[in-house]
Amino acid sequence: MTNHVLRIDTSARHEGSVSRELTDKVLAKLAAKDVTVRDLSTPLPLIDSTWIGANFTPADTRSDDQKSTLALSDTLIAELNAADTIVIGLPVYNFGVPSTFKAWIDLVARAGVTFRYTENGPEGLLTGKRAILAVASGGTEVGSDYDFASTYARHILGFIGITDVTIVSADRLMVDPEASHKAADEQIAALAA
């Protein structure tokens, strides 16, 4: 059984959201009792020059304003650090990830905090965690040449150290919804708790 799960919902929709439905099923399969929920349907702020200035100021010399600017980012990173498993409901919007997910990534991918640069290239610092992407799409086939959502999510998670990534998908829902749901249910049933 999974100890602590961070659930991240990225769909703008609540009612009728297939990614949220898949995420519910993944959590049921994991029998997760301790779950932190981060719902990105209320968008996060975008990073700006003030945020970048605070981020690149050494932690021990940051002003109170700079610390305040980074407070949300620190909270989001603390949620990641506390989780053993991260379950992300990820709809495909126009071949890519929802803008709210990209905003979350920008707030958690911080040099020296969640990754670092070494002479051998970047090294992710959030190791020993598992991620499950619950992907839903109307027409984009997950893993295809034009799927920039799951491939980006897998890459960026690996960049910050989360390399154990499983994808469950209900893709091409507008083509064959019954087969898409059936395939996703089979993938979820095969997940290790």
Side-chain angles (χ1 to χ4, degrees):
M1 180 171 64
T2 301
N3 292 329
H4 182 81
V5 174
L6 172 59
R7 173 186 178 145
I8 302 171
D9 288 302
T10 68
S11 177
R13 295 177 2 166
H14 288 266
E15 297 299 317
S17 168
V18 175
S19 66
R20 288 176 188 271
E21 174 189 321
L22 294 176
T23 303
D24 288 341
K25 290 179 180 180
V26 168
L27 289 176
K29 172 65 179 181
L30 296 178
K33 303 272 188 258
D34 185 12
V35 180
T36 298
V37 177
R38 176 60 65 179
D39 190 336
L40 302 181
S41 63
T42 300
L44 298 171
L46 300 178
I47 63 172
D48 58 14
S49 62
T50 302
W51 188 94
I52 291 170
N55 185 47
F56 286 103
T57 298
D60 58 347
T61 62
R62 287 182 187 137
S63 69
D64 287 343
D65 284 346
Q66 288 174 320
K67 291 174 187 174
S68 177
T69 296
L70 295 176
L72 175 59
S73 173
D74 291 339
T75 297
L76 297 174
I77 292 168
E79 290 173 355
L80 278 170
N81 277 318
D84 302 299
T85 301
I86 299 97
V87 179
I88 302 171
L90 191 69
V92 178
Y93 289 173
N94 300 312
F95 309 106
V97 298
S99 60
T100 54
F101 182 68
K102 177 61 169 75
W104 179 83
I105 288 295
D106 288 343
L107 290 167
V108 302
R110 285 175 54 193
V113 181
T114 57
F115 71 92
R116 67 179 168 205
Y117 291 109
T118 71
E119 40 187 60
N120 298 320
E123 176 186 354
L125 301 176
L126 298 178
T127 59
K129 299 178 184 303
R130 171 187 186 196
I132 301 168
L133 301 176
V135 183
S137 79
T140 301
E141 184 178 351
V142 170
S144 67
D145 289 343
Y146 51 92
D147 167 23
F148 303 107
S150 70
T151 53
Y152 171 74
R154 181 188 296 273
H155 176 80
I156 197 69
L157 289 170
F159 180 75
I160 62 175
I162 304 167
T163 57
D164 180 0
V165 179
T166 302
I167 297 174
V168 297
S169 63
D171 58 3
R172 305 186 73 219
L173 284 160
M174 295 185 139
V175 177
D176 189 345
E178 187 175 323
S180 295
H181 282 283
K182 182 178 181 215
D185 289 342
E186 290 169 357
Q187 293 165 39
I188 292 167
L191 287 173

